[in-house]
Amino acid sequence: MTKQVSQGTCNICKGTFSKSMITKHLASCKKGRTIFETSAGKQQFKKAKTFHLVIEGRNLPDYWMHIEASADAEVADLDGFLRDTWLECCGHLSSFTIEGKTYMSDPDEEMCDEGMDVVLDDVLRPKMKFFHEYDFGTTTELVLRVVAERESEIKKKSIRLLARNDSPAITCASCGKVATQVCSQCIYEGEGWLCNECAKSHECGEKMLLPVVNSPRVGMCGYSG
Ligand SMILES: [Zn+2]
Ligand SMILES: [Zn+2]
Ligand SMILES: [Zn+2]
Ligand SMILES: [Zn+2]
């Protein structure tokens, strides 16, 4: 199988860029700059500190996204954004690990767990790398990196998508057509990618099959996008 270069789409101008070029592009996206310049003279636009974050699957680097988060947003807001975009299947627990400290989605008071009601500005700094885990059984692990901090026009406490990967091309293991289903059992052996036709006769049965979706949680638990 030939390794394809991971590509993605800028959410501002809708242009396609390779994973390695997108950071550079976002810094100079013409459309983003136009918005910036035309509003620069108007004082009523409030600028606020934001963090530019890049996020990817810990062992699945073909799934990635760039986001901009208001510095006054909380760790819980970031968790919610990741759940909405990539992760949520059945309300599992999640956590962030930032500089060795763990922030839990559902903190146990008796265990003195730290919750996620922490402002990003208090825990993030440029160049910092940190981690997220969703579901402590069938875990999806993400790596997050703070690319930069800057001043931006953004709604209070909000998080917005700047760019994300296009669906990786995955082919059916038996016939080479585009895979549309994945077996939630066989995926543990790195197998079980199936086209519609081959899915019908898959030995594990239809109940085990999940749709192929553009997320690092594809094929996990009951995740269907
Ligand atoms: Zn762009
Ligand atoms: Zn689940
Ligand atoms: Zn097939
Ligand atoms: Zn299977």
Side-chain angles (χ1 to χ4, degrees):
M1 215 168 91
T2 49
K3 181 84 181 98
Q4 305 230 327
V5 176
S6 178
Q7 288 202 320
T9 304
C10 170
N11 201 38
I12 303 160
C13 70
K14 307 297 175 197
T16 300
F17 301 89
S18 70
K19 186 184 180 187
S20 55
M21 288 304 292
I22 194 83
T23 304
K24 205 172 160 195
H25 167 72
L26 286 171
S28 65
C29 177
K30 279 211 179 70
K31 211 156 178 191
R33 184 173 291 170
T34 314
I35 296 163
F36 191 78
E37 278 171 2
T38 48
S39 55
K42 300 178 195 161
Q43 286 304 310
Q44 64 263 42
F45 271 96
K46 282 240 170 70
K47 291 226 179 84
K49 182 173 161 184
T50 62
F51 293 108
H52 174 183
L53 305 179
V54 57
I55 309 161
E56 65 178 48
R58 195 159 182 175
N59 300 307
L60 297 165
D62 282 354
Y63 299 99
W64 50 265
M65 62 177 155
H66 289 250
I67 64 171
E68 184 169 40
S70 177
D72 63 5
E74 293 186 355
V75 170
D77 298 319
L78 186 53
D79 182 62
F81 187 88
L82 295 174
R83 284 173 182 258
D84 288 350
T85 318
W86 261 357
L87 302 172
E88 190 65 272
C89 52
C90 14
H92 301 280
L93 299 177
S94 61
S95 69
F96 281 99
T97 306
I98 307 172
E99 292 195 303
K101 196 165 172 180
T102 304
Y103 301 85
M104 304 287 294
S105 63
D106 190 11
D108 185 336
E109 307 260 307
E110 281 175 25
M111 301 287 285
C112 297
D113 284 343
E114 184 83 50
M116 289 189 176
D117 52 345
V118 178
V119 175
L120 294 182
D121 208 14
D122 291 339
V123 290
L124 299 186
R125 277 188 312 281
K127 309 296 169 208
M128 182 187 267
K129 201 176 182 185
F130 59 107
F131 305 93
H132 183 264
E133 288 188 8
Y134 175 77
D135 179 3
F136 303 141
T138 314
T139 312
T140 299
E141 296 177 83
L142 305 176
V143 185
L144 302 91
R145 196 163 47 84
V146 184
V147 178
E149 95 184 14
R150 59 180 168 225
E151 294 282 309
S152 225
E153 282 149 22
I154 195 163
K155 271 205 289 193
K156 254 178 129 19
K157 291 178 175 261
S158 71
I159 297 173
R160 65 179 183 134
L161 183 70
L162 297 176
R164 69 181 289 185
N165 71 281
D166 297 337
S167 297
I170 304 172
T171 48
C172 173
S174 339
C175 75
K177 281 191 201 141
V178 175
T180 55
Q181 322 251 352
V182 60
C183 173
S184 58
Q185 203 66 40
C186 297
I187 194 169
Y188 289 102
E189 274 83 59
E191 291 163 15
W193 300 96
L194 301 156
C195 71
N196 278 341
E197 209 43 49
C198 298
K200 289 176 191 157
S201 53
H202 183 63
E203 57 195 5
C204 301
E206 243 174 289
K207 277 201 177 127
M208 285 301 176
L209 301 182
L210 288 168
V212 172
V213 288
N214 186 12
S215 153
R217 195 157 175 77
V218 60
M220 295 290 133
C221 190
Y223 191 71
S224 56

